[in-house]
Amino acid sequence: MFRKIKELLTFLLWTCLITVSCNTNMKDQADRNAGSDSSGIVLQTLTSQIEDDATNPGLYHARARYYLAEHHYDNALKDIHKAITLEPGNAVFYITLSDIYLLQGQTNNCNDALVKAISVDPKNQDAVIKMAKLYLILKDYSKTFDYVKRAIDLNQINPRAYFIRAIALLEKGDTSLAVNDLIKAVDQDQSFYEAYIQLGELFSLRKDPMAADYLKNALALQPESREALYMLGMFYQETGQFDKAITTYQRLQKADTTFRNAPYNIGYIYLVYLKDFPLAVRFFSEAIKKDAAYFEAYFNRGYAEELMGNYAKSYEDYQTTLKIKVNYDKAIQGLNRLDKMKIRK
């Protein structure tokens, strides 16, 4: 029931892929206005500043980052090209250009922009690491490892580099070395949420108690993380710690009232492991309220009703299951059992 490793790798790679670059000589002016853009104040301020100082490349870069965050890629490209025209020797501008191209799916242009950034500033860690990430996306592991090595040579304290190499190693099937790199990443950066999540996943697959520790570290950073809470609940469930699993899923329900899997998994525990069928029905019903097309919840509620002898309700749930999921074998088998007892809705 754990999420497949490759799905998690994709998620983790993209969630930490685009990071805002900072120029050591010129503070990104978008940062100064962070948190005040509920009504476009940041954009208005930057535009006004550009009107007053039209030859300031930092202002165009700041507005390009704003447009990038808002997914207005054409505007972002226009501004970053203006910034580059005004200051062609600034590697940070080319890194932002690479971010825009990457989010547009233009990997060749992204590569060209990063090559330019590195040629301008060979010691720019951000550019080197982003190149490693790009090659990871392209599944060119040899070049991924080359750029990771370059990044680590620039700075031994480099948790992002170790994380990228860990993901590449996992995709190549080398779990042991990947774990070593992930541990290095969290040792160097104890706020590295994505690395804790990945470690939690890997140790969960082994049913190793360390999984809970890593996931708790992730939750210390993001207390309402649906992903971390669900993975922790699943770890407890798969290792027979049902009280802890239920408590964790209930915490998840509070964190995300729309997440159907939290009540469903509680219902599953009561149905399969604790044999408390009335509570199983209650939680499967909660899952159905969150998703009226949740056929597994209808089936399991029907099965719990069948085990309690509430055959009419069970029959109805099995039929509803088949309306949603045609030819679902378990529901067909359930109806056949009830038909043999001459039970009808």
Side-chain angles (χ1 to χ4, degrees):
M1 296 177 70
F2 288 110
R3 188 151 55 137
K4 293 180 180 178
I5 289 267
K6 286 186 178 180
E7 295 173 355
L8 186 64
L9 297 182
T10 300
F11 167 78
L12 291 173
L13 180 61
W14 282 97
T15 55
C16 68
L17 186 60
I18 302 299
T19 56
V20 176
S21 304
C22 292
N23 185 344
T24 56
N25 297 317
M26 179 172 52
K27 174 73 174 173
D28 190 326
Q29 296 186 43
D31 293 342
R32 300 173 186 172
N33 298 295
S36 63
D37 193 32
S38 60
S39 60
I41 296 174
V42 168
L43 178 59
Q44 293 174 11
T45 300
L46 287 170
T47 300
S48 176
Q49 290 173 340
I50 288 171
E51 290 174 354
D52 293 337
D53 189 4
T55 60
N56 186 332
L59 292 173
Y60 289 101
H61 177 243
R63 194 168 66 176
R65 295 299 314 183
Y66 171 87
Y67 283 132
L68 176 60
E70 296 296 317
H71 309 291
H72 298 156
Y73 303 129
D74 289 342
N75 289 336
L77 280 171
K78 180 179 178 181
D79 273 351
I80 198 60
H81 281 305
K82 180 65 174 179
I84 290 170
T85 299
L86 291 169
E87 189 179 346
N90 192 319
V92 173
F93 297 168
Y94 292 104
I95 293 171
T96 292
L97 179 62
S98 77
D99 288 344
I100 298 168
Y101 282 137
L102 184 62
L103 287 176
Q104 290 182 306
Q106 299 182 39
T107 54
N108 288 336
N109 286 337
C110 175
N111 177 80
D112 292 344
L114 289 173
V115 168
K116 183 63 177 178
I118 293 171
S119 70
V120 168
D121 182 3
K123 294 185 178 181
N124 189 299
Q125 278 193 85
D126 199 21
V128 174
I129 287 175
K130 283 178 182 286
M131 189 67 93
K133 292 176 181 177
L134 176 61
Y135 281 118
L136 178 56
I137 291 171
L138 297 174
K139 309 297 183 186
D140 189 333
Y141 301 117
S142 177
K143 289 185 178 178
T144 299
F145 294 139
D146 286 344
Y147 277 99
V148 166
K149 183 179 183 303
R150 287 180 63 174
I152 293 173
D153 287 342
L154 288 170
N155 188 353
Q156 292 291 315
I157 307 300
N158 209 322
R160 288 191 295 159
Y162 288 114
F163 179 80
I164 294 165
R165 190 167 67 185
I167 300 301
L169 288 166
L170 283 172
E171 292 189 357
K172 286 173 62 66
D174 196 335
T175 303
S176 296
L177 287 178
V179 168
N180 290 339
D181 273 349
L182 288 167
I183 290 173
K184 287 179 183 176
V186 296
D187 283 345
Q188 292 184 357
D189 181 1
Q190 296 180 9
S191 65
F192 205 148
Y193 169 83
E194 293 86 358
Y196 284 125
I197 286 290
Q198 183 63 78
L199 284 165
E201 173 75 4
L202 292 171
F203 280 87
S204 290
L205 291 172
R206 304 175 184 177
K207 293 184 169 55
D208 188 314
M210 285 294 294
D213 294 330
Y214 286 123
L215 293 171
K216 288 176 182 177
N217 286 339
L219 286 167
L221 297 169
Q222 297 186 25
E224 295 189 353
S225 166
R226 185 173 79 173
E227 178 180 44
L229 286 168
Y230 186 69
M231 290 173 64
L232 181 60
M234 283 299 307
F235 171 74
Y236 286 140
Q237 180 177 331
E238 294 292 319
T239 55
Q241 302 178 69
F242 302 124
D243 288 344
K244 289 183 177 180
I246 290 170
T247 298
T248 303
Y249 289 139
Q250 288 173 332
R251 180 179 168 185
L252 175 53
Q253 281 186 285
K254 293 179 181 178
D256 185 349
T257 59
T258 68
F259 189 50
R260 68 179 194 171
N261 286 9
Y264 176 87
N265 281 20
I266 295 174
Y268 188 86
I269 290 171
Y270 280 123
L271 173 65
V272 175
Y273 301 110
L274 302 182
K275 311 299 181 185
D276 189 329
F277 306 130
L279 277 177
V281 167
R282 170 188 158 188
F283 284 100
F284 287 133
S285 296
E286 285 189 26
I288 290 167
K289 288 179 182 178
K290 298 179 189 302
D291 183 358
Y294 202 171
F295 70 90
E296 295 97 335
Y298 280 107
F299 169 78
N300 279 330
R301 187 176 71 175
Y303 186 52
E305 294 284 9
E306 181 182 349
L307 292 172
M308 289 191 293
N310 299 329
Y311 300 125
K313 291 182 179 179
S314 177
Y315 199 95
E316 182 177 355
D317 274 344
Y318 290 154
Q319 284 190 319
T320 302
T321 301
L322 289 172
K323 289 178 182 177
I324 300 169
K325 182 71 171 178
V326 178
N327 297 326
Y328 187 57
D329 286 342
K330 292 181 179 180
I332 293 171
Q333 293 168 10
L335 288 175
N336 289 339
R337 285 193 305 271
L338 297 178
D339 283 340
K340 288 180 181 178
M341 293 185 288
K342 301 187 183 305
I343 302 296
R344 294 289 186 273
K345 178 179 174 182

